[in-house]
Amino acid sequence: MKQHHTVFVDIMCLYSAPENTLARRIQYVAAQLLRVNALALCNFPNDSFIKRVALKLSKVIVNPVTRPILIKYVHRYEGQDTIYVGHYFGRARFKRTAFLRSYLGSKPRYVPFEDTELPVFENVEEYLVARFGNKWMEMPSQETRDQYPIHGDFVDLEKDYTEYMNQNRTQWIYQ
């Protein structure tokens, strides 16, 4: 889809998650199947043979019969007072996707960001350790950074977005 390429903010959806590790893993797998299928339906390009096979398989596995079942399982614990919450639709491995609900706290804490203050989890440091490990404040090695596609750029908001378009990064959108 052709769209205006502008500044985006990631919004992390949290799902109530069960205490049982196996049930939480099933919830994670259901979400990952839906995520991969969404990429497959958009003809997301990939140079990896294994990932291309996974994208094609997801079109068979996630179908009009299974999709509602998977969605229902991801939402299965909503409204329950679970001790865990999870964000399952990102690229994180299973062990880094769920964390204690207590990290959210009872009210947001505000932290400075440039010329404003933004809300974060009340216990955001505990969340960051659970998600990224004890070295969350350190810049990842170049080897680690190379494993992830670039999806952030420095831009001048006064310029037209077309000046920043990279044909290789956006070509799949227009096919």
Side-chain angles (χ1 to χ4, degrees):
M1 39 186 218
K2 271 197 174 190
Q3 64 179 2
H4 188 280
H5 295 268
T6 185
V7 176
F8 293 93
V9 175
D10 287 339
I11 298 175
M12 181 174 54
C13 296
L14 299 177
Y15 299 88
S16 293
E19 191 169 349
N20 179 285
T21 304
L22 178 60
R24 208 167 47 246
R25 186 174 293 272
I26 293 169
Q27 189 181 34
Y28 166 81
V29 168
Q32 289 299 300
L33 284 169
L34 291 165
R35 181 180 75 88
V36 171
N37 182 249
L39 293 172
L41 293 175
C42 292
N43 295 318
F44 193 77
N46 203 298
D47 293 334
S48 162
F49 173 75
I50 292 172
K51 289 180 181 178
R52 283 196 314 269
V53 169
L55 289 166
K56 287 185 187 304
L57 275 175
S58 79
K59 289 182 176 182
V60 175
I61 295 168
V62 182
N63 56 54
V65 173
T66 61
R67 182 176 287 108
I69 295 167
L70 294 169
I71 292 169
K72 187 174 182 176
Y73 197 85
V74 171
H75 290 276
R76 180 177 184 173
Y77 302 93
E78 293 309 310
Q80 296 182 27
D81 190 21
T82 61
I83 65 170
Y84 288 101
V85 292
H87 56 97
Y88 297 121
F89 285 94
R91 294 182 55 179
R93 302 265 187 236
F94 172 71
K95 290 182 180 183
R96 302 280 188 189
T97 56
F99 58 93
L100 293 170
R101 185 181 294 273
S102 62
Y103 295 171
L104 300 173
S106 59
K107 58 184 175 21
R109 191 173 94 208
Y110 286 81
V111 296
F113 179 78
E114 296 193 3
D115 63 348
T116 190
E117 289 196 345
L118 299 172
V120 297
F121 300 159
E122 193 170 19
N123 302 303
V124 70
E125 292 81 7
E126 288 89 344
Y127 160 75
L128 291 168
V129 168
R131 177 72 166 86
F132 300 106
N134 289 326
K135 296 181 179 184
W136 62 269
M137 282 289 289
E138 295 178 19
M139 190 69 154
S141 69
Q142 186 62 47
E143 181 183 0
T144 300
R145 289 191 306 249
D146 288 344
Q147 295 175 16
Y148 297 92
I150 295 173
H151 63 273
D153 294 304
F154 291 98
V155 297
D156 178 349
L157 297 178
E158 301 299 317
K159 290 185 179 179
D160 187 276
Y161 77 94
T162 57
E163 293 183 44
Y164 294 102
M165 291 192 68
N166 175 335
Q167 188 63 26
N168 293 331
R169 281 184 54 206
T170 58
Q171 182 177 9
W172 66 274
I173 295 173
Y174 305 113
Q175 294 177 346

